[in-house]
Amino acid sequence: MTVRPLYAAVMLLAVMVGVVLLRLRQRPLGLDAEQRWMLGIGAFTGGMIAAKLPYLVSGGLQSGWVPGMWLADGKTILAGIVGAYFGVEVAKWACSIRIKTGDSFALPAAVAVGIGRIGCYVGGCCFGTVTALPWGQPFAAAGDSLPRHPTQLYEAAFHFGFAIILWQLGRRGWLRLQHMKLYLIGYLVYRFATEFIRPEPHVLAGLTAYQLATVPLLVLFSWLWWRDRQDAAIHLSRQATVR
């Protein structure tokens, strides 16, 4: 396990930018300072633990638990985003926060993850398979000099692009209360597709562990989307009845 200074610096920048954007996005929610802190802690803790958990379970535990491990490479962004989502839900339950907060987290998360993927690029991890495309480039961690897909940059472009989409949705008032789930579903689809150009081992039916994980997660977040739509419809129906 190696802590690369530039990698760690970019990851810290991603966290700081995410925090600033989150504070700006949460101003209209009417949360007090303690509630905002608890939601932020829930997101950060859930995201960091979940992002590192697959690495630790798959052998990282052999290197021991040291503070620097959280700034070193060996994190899974897919697990981190999902972990942050449920970390917020746990924090809301613990603090009895009943309002929907997902829309406030979506855009900051997309920007922060996009910056984080640039950190992966400068750190030389998370590269793709060998390619003949003109923008392919070698990565020292691959152990050869063959040009490979810079999948870190592909993904950074995805997250920054999705952040623009989320910003436009917020401006126009479209898909309110569904932005975080939309972002998660979009990323799960993206990740399933791009696993084919990542050097990950195939686990079952020619699919990687990440691809297999996206399937139940897509079902889960699609169900959560449907459930929230049903709850919103019931709420509007009750309001109409009262009038």
Side-chain angles (χ1 to χ4, degrees):
M1 179 183 62
T2 303
V3 179
R4 299 179 177 88
L6 184 56
Y7 172 88
V10 176
M11 288 301 177
L12 287 173
L13 175 64
V15 172
M16 290 188 291
V17 171
V19 168
V20 171
L21 289 175
L22 182 61
R23 287 183 65 84
L24 293 174
R25 302 285 288 182
Q26 287 189 337
R27 281 179 179 174
L29 297 182
L31 298 169
D32 59 38
E34 182 180 353
Q35 289 173 323
R36 291 197 302 271
W37 270 105
M38 290 302 296
L39 291 178
I41 291 171
F44 180 78
T45 304
M48 288 296 288
I49 292 174
K52 203 71 177 180
L53 192 59
Y55 168 75
L56 296 175
V57 171
S58 64
L61 283 172
Q62 297 174 3
S63 61
W65 289 79
V66 294
M69 64 183 286
W70 301 105
L71 293 177
D73 52 13
K75 290 187 282 293
T76 303
I77 297 297
L78 175 61
I81 297 175
V82 174
Y85 178 91
F86 287 108
V88 170
E89 292 302 308
V90 170
K92 287 172 64 176
W93 170 79
C95 298
S96 300
I97 298 173
R98 305 302 180 194
I99 63 174
K100 296 288 187 179
T101 60
D103 284 7
S104 69
F105 278 95
L107 188 149
V111 173
V113 174
I115 296 173
R117 275 311 190 192
I118 294 176
C120 293
Y121 176 73
V122 300
C125 60
C126 307
F127 46 80
T129 55
V130 175
T131 180
L133 293 171
W135 54 81
Q137 53 194 280
F139 292 92
D144 55 46
S145 58
L146 298 174
R148 297 173 178 271
H149 285 285
T151 46
Q152 318 95 321
L153 299 183
Y154 298 169
E155 190 162 321
F158 167 83
H159 291 290
F160 289 140
F162 219 101
I164 294 172
I165 292 172
L166 292 166
W167 176 61
Q168 288 294 330
L169 290 176
R171 286 186 62 223
R172 299 173 187 274
W174 293 347
L175 296 178
R176 288 186 65 252
L177 308 182
Q178 301 288 17
H179 293 183
M180 192 64 193
K181 289 186 283 294
L182 175 66
Y183 170 52
L184 283 164
I185 290 171
Y187 181 50
L188 289 168
V189 172
Y190 169 87
R191 189 58 186 267
F192 185 94
T194 57
E195 277 295 292
F196 291 110
I197 56 170
R198 288 173 178 268
E200 299 290 340
H202 294 165
V203 177
L204 180 66
L207 301 177
T208 69
Y210 294 102
Q211 287 173 313
L212 294 174
T214 62
V215 176
L217 289 172
L218 276 169
V219 172
L220 172 62
F221 286 107
S222 296
W223 175 79
L224 289 172
W225 184 310
W226 174 85
R227 185 200 64 180
D228 285 352
R229 283 180 60 89
Q230 294 297 107
D231 289 347
I234 292 172
H235 179 70
L236 290 174
S237 177
R238 287 175 177 171
Q239 284 186 326
T241 302
V242 171
R243 291 176 184 174

